[in-house]
Every structure is written in C-alpha cells, then in structure tokens.
Amino acid sequence: MFRRSMTLLVAVVLLVGLAVGAMYLPVPYLVASPGLALNTIGEVEGEQVIHVEGEESYEHDGELAMVTVQYSGGPGAHMDMFTVLSAWLSPNQAVLPEEALFPPDQSLEEINESQDLQMDDSQTAATAAALNELDIDYDIRSVVMGVGEDMPASGELAKGDVITEVDGEPVAGKDETVEQVSDREPGDPVELTVLRDGETEKFELTTTDDDGTALIGIMVGNDMEFPFDVEITVGEVGGPSAGMMFALGIMDRLTPEGLTGGETIAGSGTIEPDGTVGGVSGVEQKVVSAAEEGADYFLVAEDSCGQAMSSAASDEVDVVKVGELGDAVDALEDIRDGADPADLPSC
C-alpha cells in the first residue's frame, strides 16, 4: 500500500513538473505592448526631431507625439506560454502569431531593411503632404526603380533612369507615367524620353499585354525635389505609421502660429503625398502610450477607429477621426479655438 501511494505521489509530482515546465517552453507568438511616444516638434538628445534647413522655421509649445508599439518575441527571442498567457490577460497588451511580424519567407535582415525603407518613404511622403497642404510647390520626377526580365524594357531602360516624357508629353511622377504608358492597346508602341547620367535619350518600345493592360515591365517610383531640406531623426524606429504625425510636425515647423495651441496631441496613421491618411496596426497599444504621455487628443485614421475605441485607454483621451491630412489640420484648429471635444469628428 505504501509503495503504491509513493508511486502515485511521484507520478503527480512529475506531471506537475512537466506542466510547469511546459509553461516555459518557447511558443511562436509575439507580445505587443505600449511603446515610446516621441514629440515630433521636440528634441531627442538635444537634436530637433524635425529640422528644416533652407527655409525659415519656428518652434512652438505643445506636443505632436508619434506613438509606437513595442514587440517582444520573434526569431531568437521566443515567448514562453506563461508570458503569453499573462499578456493575453492584460488589457494593455496583445498576443499575435509570430508570422504577423516575421514572415517565414523573409530573414530578419530583410524585415529590418523593409522597415527602414518604409520609414524613409513615410518621411518623404510626409514632407510632400505637408508642402501640398501649405501650397508650397516642389518638383516630382518619375524614376525607374527596377526592370523586369524578358520584358520590353529589359536591356533598354535601367534603374535610376528619369522618365521625362511619354510620347512627347511631359510626365511628372509615377502616376502620370503609368497612366500614359497604359493608355493604349497592348502591342502598340510607346516612346519614352529618359534622362540618364545627365544625358537625354529616347527609347521606342513595344508594349506587352497584362490582362488587357499595356505595359513595358518597369517599376516606377517618385523622386521628389523639395525647395528646402527637411531632416527627420527618430533613432531605431521603423515602419510607415508615423507619417501623419511627421507631416503635422513639418507643418508646425513651417507655420508661425503653430498647430497645437500648447496642447499635447498624439496620433498614428500612414500618409500619402496627396494627404491621404491610412490605417495602421497596434492602435490599441498606441492609445495607451498616448494616455501615458498625457495626451489630450489622439488622431487616428478612419480605418483604425475600431482598434482605437477598443483600447483600454480609449476613455482617457479624446479620439479624433481623420481621413486626410486636412482633416487633422482642421481638427487642430478647432482644438486651438477651444472647441468642445464632443464637436470634433470621432470614431
């Protein structure tokens, strides 16, 4: 009887030990937590986050804070079940599958490179959007970013070529170039005027068919030449989600009155050169970051409204819905004028 009891006790102890040990085995999940808040019209380590050179700029009170999400886990830093369950129960954290941030077909270096590129692109787009909102002219050129193999442009056009004309008509930017090239029947010729190494060259290509659309097999991007320099310094932060707050920060630097009226404003959203504000991920945690920063208002893209209102901190800040940069500017003007938060566009 004693031996049987001891055997049962040892079995129970082993099972408990295995259960406890299993809680600390690595699992393929990420934990998203509120990250840092960075004032885009402030300074980091004595250096302006947004620095304008070649144009008069201004400094104002208040904050225009870009907020971030901090991710734990990923390749080389797996989460254990205990940590994941704790995060699952936390109102300020979220649990995501690892592949949501780290696709299995991409290396960590490729992911970091992509995040850095998205950050660079968002800063350029933010500058363009801010200048558009302020009616400041700038030049935009259509640049070849890549050439497909075995396509009409292969062996003719090259990465870095600036397309200045299509069929003798000037084009400014990738949208005009794509529209002009595709505005014909597949198989029809197209003449491109290209600036390469300071020299002008002409190429006549025969378009090919892509589901009824004429194309020549190039990737085209925008190269924007601004009338002054705008430098943005944010350290190791990557991704495109700070675009809207960058654009507002640039406008604040270029505007004598300023945008915040001394208020602390946070927000998150991508930006396009035409001012379109797009949704982002991790907004639940970003609203918490905004509340911890002491923000009175949180500007959010309409596409992210659901996330914002489901945040544990949604009742601590006034969430303002924006679809375009101009909407954010109008909301900030109302805030400066002392508008009732209930009268601002909300989710």
Side-chain angles (χ1 to χ4, degrees):
M1 182 69 179
F2 175 76
R3 182 179 299 173
R4 187 175 299 170
S5 298
M6 285 300 297
T7 301
L8 181 60
L9 178 61
V10 170
V12 170
V13 170
L14 287 173
L15 285 173
V16 171
L18 288 172
V20 171
M23 292 293 289
Y24 291 93
L25 289 175
V27 292
Y29 292 99
L30 302 170
V31 173
S33 305
L36 62 83
L38 184 64
N39 181 17
T40 62
I41 57 174
E43 297 183 350
V44 174
E45 298 181 354
E47 184 177 359
Q48 290 181 338
V49 174
I50 296 176
H51 176 69
V52 177
E53 186 172 346
E55 179 74 5
E56 186 172 7
S57 61
Y58 307 87
E59 295 184 33
H60 306 106
D61 294 331
E63 290 189 32
L64 286 168
M66 55 169 278
V67 286
T68 65
V69 177
Q70 176 180 323
Y71 291 99
S72 303
H78 294 292
M79 292 284 97
D80 58 67
M81 185 59 71
F82 180 80
T83 303
V84 168
L85 288 175
S86 298
W88 196 284
L89 296 172
S90 170
N92 294 337
Q93 295 179 307
V95 177
L96 307 170
E98 191 175 271
E99 59 266 23
L101 195 63
F102 300 99
D105 60 341
Q106 292 185 28
S107 68
L108 186 58
E109 291 75 15
E110 289 174 330
I111 293 169
N112 289 334
E113 187 176 304
S114 175
Q115 288 282 306
D116 291 342
L117 180 60
Q118 288 177 335
M119 171 60 77
D120 291 342
D121 288 345
S122 75
Q123 293 176 2
T124 301
T127 303
L131 268 56
N132 284 335
E133 191 68 26
L134 295 171
D135 293 324
I136 298 175
D137 292 332
Y138 60 90
D139 294 329
I140 180 171
R141 306 190 303 174
S142 177
V143 179
V144 177
M145 307 299 290
V147 181
E149 295 183 4
D150 301 322
M151 298 296 287
S154 179
E156 299 289 339
L157 300 185
K159 183 178 180 180
D161 285 347
V162 177
I163 301 174
T164 59
E165 295 180 358
V166 175
D167 294 330
E169 294 293 327
V171 289
K174 66 177 184 180
D175 291 340
E176 290 189 10
T177 300
V178 171
E179 182 179 0
Q180 292 271 34
V181 171
S182 61
D183 187 24
R184 69 196 69 239
E185 293 296 322
D188 288 348
V190 59
E191 183 183 78
L192 302 180
T193 303
V194 168
L195 186 64
R196 177 186 295 173
D197 298 327
E199 300 290 333
T200 298
E201 300 185 34
K202 291 184 182 292
F203 298 89
E204 184 164 322
L205 308 174
T206 300
T207 60
T208 189
D209 187 4
D210 179 39
D211 291 332
T213 300
L215 55 76
I216 57 175
I218 59 174
M219 286 194 307
V220 186
N222 285 327
D223 178 35
M224 300 174 188
E225 294 188 352
F226 303 118
F228 46 82
D229 293 330
V230 177
E231 296 181 3
I232 303 177
T233 305
V234 292
E236 298 300 316
V237 180
S241 63
M244 173 180 64
M245 300 310 291
F246 286 151
L248 292 173
I250 293 167
M251 291 184 66
D252 189 88
R253 281 272 183 251
L254 296 172
T255 306
E257 181 184 11
L259 300 183
T260 70
E263 298 278 1
T264 298
I265 315 290
S268 187
T270 64
I271 195 73
E272 296 293 333
D274 66 1
T276 301
V277 176
V280 296
S281 61
V283 173
E284 296 97 328
Q285 289 72 48
K286 291 176 180 179
V287 175
V288 175
S289 296
E292 292 176 348
E293 181 71 6
D296 304 300
Y297 302 89
F298 185 83
L299 306 179
V300 65
E302 185 173 358
D303 291 344
S304 299
C305 269
Q307 294 183 62
M309 298 312 295
S310 65
S311 172
S314 60
D315 59 347
E316 298 179 41
V317 296
D318 291 307
V319 178
V320 180
K321 176 179 65 177
V322 298
E324 299 179 351
L325 182 61
D327 298 334
V329 174
D330 291 342
L332 291 176
E333 182 178 1
D334 291 339
I335 291 169
R336 291 197 307 274
D337 292 341
D340 188 327
D343 294 332
L344 298 172
S346 60
C347 292

mmCIF file of all heavy atoms in Angstrom, residues 21-38:
data_model
loop_
_atom_site.group_PDB
_atom_site.id
_atom_site.type_symbol
_atom_site.label_atom_id
_atom_site.label_comp_id
_atom_site.label_asym_id
_atom_site.label_seq_id
_atom_site.Cartn_x
_atom_site.Cartn_y
_atom_site.Cartn_z
ATOM 1 N N GLY A 21 6.937 22.985 -16.486
ATOM 2 C CA GLY A 21 7.996 23.136 -17.477
ATOM 3 C C GLY A 21 7.452 23.528 -18.839
ATOM 4 O O GLY A 21 8.049 24.335 -19.561
ATOM 5 N N ALA A 22 6.289 22.947 -19.196
ATOM 6 C CA ALA A 22 5.686 23.270 -20.489
ATOM 7 C C ALA A 22 5.318 24.742 -20.594
ATOM 8 O O ALA A 22 5.318 25.321 -21.683
ATOM 9 C CB ALA A 22 4.453 22.403 -20.717
ATOM 10 N N MET A 23 4.998 25.352 -19.451
ATOM 11 C CA MET A 23 4.637 26.769 -19.456
ATOM 12 C C MET A 23 5.799 27.647 -19.908
ATOM 13 O O MET A 23 5.607 28.777 -20.338
ATOM 14 C CB MET A 23 4.175 27.203 -18.066
ATOM 15 C CG MET A 23 2.853 26.582 -17.620
ATOM 16 S SD MET A 23 1.470 27.164 -18.609
ATOM 17 C CE MET A 23 1.346 28.850 -18.035
ATOM 18 N N TYR A 24 7.012 27.125 -19.783
ATOM 19 C CA TYR A 24 8.188 27.930 -20.126
ATOM 20 C C TYR A 24 8.850 27.479 -21.424
ATOM 21 O O TYR A 24 9.923 27.960 -21.772
ATOM 22 C CB TYR A 24 9.200 27.887 -18.968
ATOM 23 C CG TYR A 24 8.704 28.625 -17.746
ATOM 24 C CD1 TYR A 24 8.030 27.953 -16.742
ATOM 25 C CD2 TYR A 24 8.873 29.999 -17.626
ATOM 26 C CE1 TYR A 24 7.545 28.629 -15.623
ATOM 27 C CE2 TYR A 24 8.395 30.687 -16.521
ATOM 28 C CZ TYR A 24 7.727 29.995 -15.523
ATOM 29 O OH TYR A 24 7.256 30.669 -14.419
ATOM 30 N N LEU A 25 8.200 26.564 -22.138
ATOM 31 C CA LEU A 25 8.694 26.185 -23.458
ATOM 32 C C LEU A 25 8.398 27.303 -24.457
ATOM 33 O O LEU A 25 7.373 27.985 -24.352
ATOM 34 C CB LEU A 25 8.027 24.889 -23.924
ATOM 35 C CG LEU A 25 8.441 23.610 -23.189
ATOM 36 C CD1 LEU A 25 7.603 22.444 -23.694
ATOM 37 C CD2 LEU A 25 9.926 23.315 -23.384
ATOM 38 N N PRO A 26 9.280 27.528 -25.430
ATOM 39 C CA PRO A 26 9.038 28.597 -26.399
ATOM 40 C C PRO A 26 7.807 28.328 -27.259
ATOM 41 O O PRO A 26 7.556 27.190 -27.663
ATOM 42 C CB PRO A 26 10.314 28.616 -27.248
ATOM 43 C CG PRO A 26 10.915 27.255 -27.061
ATOM 44 C CD PRO A 26 10.554 26.827 -25.665
ATOM 45 N N VAL A 27 7.028 29.381 -27.523
ATOM 46 C CA VAL A 27 5.843 29.285 -28.373
ATOM 47 C C VAL A 27 5.926 30.369 -29.445
ATOM 48 O O VAL A 27 6.517 31.427 -29.229
ATOM 49 C CB VAL A 27 4.538 29.450 -27.551
ATOM 50 C CG1 VAL A 27 4.340 28.262 -26.634
ATOM 51 C CG2 VAL A 27 4.552 30.736 -26.731
ATOM 52 N N PRO A 28 5.361 30.121 -30.645
ATOM 53 C CA PRO A 28 5.530 31.047 -31.778
ATOM 54 C C PRO A 28 4.559 32.229 -31.736
ATOM 55 O O PRO A 28 3.733 32.407 -32.623
ATOM 56 C CB PRO A 28 5.260 30.149 -32.985
ATOM 57 C CG PRO A 28 4.264 29.156 -32.479
ATOM 58 C CD PRO A 28 4.640 28.883 -31.043
ATOM 59 N N TYR A 29 4.677 33.039 -30.705
ATOM 60 C CA TYR A 29 3.813 34.201 -30.567
ATOM 61 C C TYR A 29 4.637 35.442 -30.244
ATOM 62 O O TYR A 29 5.772 35.355 -29.768
ATOM 63 C CB TYR A 29 2.763 33.983 -29.475
ATOM 64 C CG TYR A 29 1.729 32.938 -29.825
ATOM 65 C CD1 TYR A 29 1.841 31.643 -29.325
ATOM 66 C CD2 TYR A 29 0.663 33.239 -30.662
ATOM 67 C CE1 TYR A 29 0.908 30.666 -29.663
ATOM 68 C CE2 TYR A 29 -0.278 32.273 -30.999
ATOM 69 C CZ TYR A 29 -0.145 30.996 -30.496
ATOM 70 O OH TYR A 29 -1.066 30.054 -30.838
ATOM 71 N N LEU A 30 4.037 36.601 -30.503
ATOM 72 C CA LEU A 30 4.613 37.895 -30.140
ATOM 73 C C LEU A 30 3.701 38.570 -29.131
ATOM 74 O O LEU A 30 2.491 38.354 -29.133
ATOM 75 C CB LEU A 30 4.745 38.802 -31.367
ATOM 76 C CG LEU A 30 5.573 38.326 -32.549
ATOM 77 C CD1 LEU A 30 5.355 39.259 -33.730
ATOM 78 C CD2 LEU A 30 7.044 38.273 -32.179
ATOM 79 N N VAL A 31 4.291 39.413 -28.302
ATOM 80 C CA VAL A 31 3.515 40.226 -27.372
ATOM 81 C C VAL A 31 3.708 41.690 -27.747
ATOM 82 O O VAL A 31 4.834 42.182 -27.830
ATOM 83 C CB VAL A 31 3.953 39.995 -25.912
ATOM 84 C CG1 VAL A 31 3.255 40.988 -24.983
ATOM 85 C CG2 VAL A 31 3.628 38.573 -25.491
ATOM 86 N N ALA A 32 2.595 42.374 -28.024
ATOM 87 C CA ALA A 32 2.615 43.805 -28.360
ATOM 88 C C ALA A 32 2.275 44.610 -27.114
ATOM 89 O O ALA A 32 1.250 44.365 -26.473
ATOM 90 C CB ALA A 32 1.619 44.105 -29.473
ATOM 91 N N SER A 33 3.127 45.557 -26.773
ATOM 92 C CA SER A 33 2.931 46.396 -25.597
ATOM 93 C C SER A 33 3.032 47.862 -25.992
ATOM 94 O O SER A 33 3.621 48.199 -27.027
ATOM 95 C CB SER A 33 4.002 46.080 -24.538
ATOM 96 O OG SER A 33 4.018 44.710 -24.202
ATOM 97 N N PRO A 34 2.471 48.779 -25.188
ATOM 98 C CA PRO A 34 2.640 50.209 -25.475
ATOM 99 C C PRO A 34 4.117 50.568 -25.558
ATOM 100 O O PRO A 34 4.923 50.137 -24.721
ATOM 101 C CB PRO A 34 1.961 50.884 -24.275
ATOM 102 C CG PRO A 34 0.977 49.869 -23.780
ATOM 103 C CD PRO A 34 1.625 48.538 -24.005
ATOM 104 N N GLY A 35 4.478 51.331 -26.584
ATOM 105 C CA GLY A 35 5.867 51.723 -26.778
ATOM 106 C C GLY A 35 6.098 53.171 -26.410
ATOM 107 O O GLY A 35 5.336 53.787 -25.656
ATOM 108 N N LEU A 36 7.148 53.737 -26.987
ATOM 109 C CA LEU A 36 7.518 55.115 -26.657
ATOM 110 C C LEU A 36 6.628 56.111 -27.392
ATOM 111 O O LEU A 36 5.996 55.792 -28.393
ATOM 112 C CB LEU A 36 8.989 55.372 -26.975
ATOM 113 C CG LEU A 36 9.474 55.253 -28.428
ATOM 114 C CD1 LEU A 36 9.204 56.535 -29.212
ATOM 115 C CD2 LEU A 36 10.952 54.938 -28.464
ATOM 116 N N ALA A 37 6.590 57.311 -26.866
ATOM 117 C CA ALA A 37 5.931 58.443 -27.524
ATOM 118 C C ALA A 37 6.999 59.491 -27.797
ATOM 119 O O ALA A 37 7.742 59.877 -26.891
ATOM 120 C CB ALA A 37 4.827 59.015 -26.634
ATOM 121 N N LEU A 38 7.090 59.931 -29.033
ATOM 122 C CA LEU A 38 8.146 60.857 -29.437
ATOM 123 C C LEU A 38 7.526 62.124 -29.995
ATOM 124 O O LEU A 38 6.756 62.085 -30.953
ATOM 125 C CB LEU A 38 9.029 60.191 -30.504
ATOM 126 C CG LEU A 38 10.251 60.966 -30.983
ATOM 127 C CD1 LEU A 38 11.235 61.164 -29.839
ATOM 128 C CD2 LEU A 38 10.926 60.213 -32.131
#
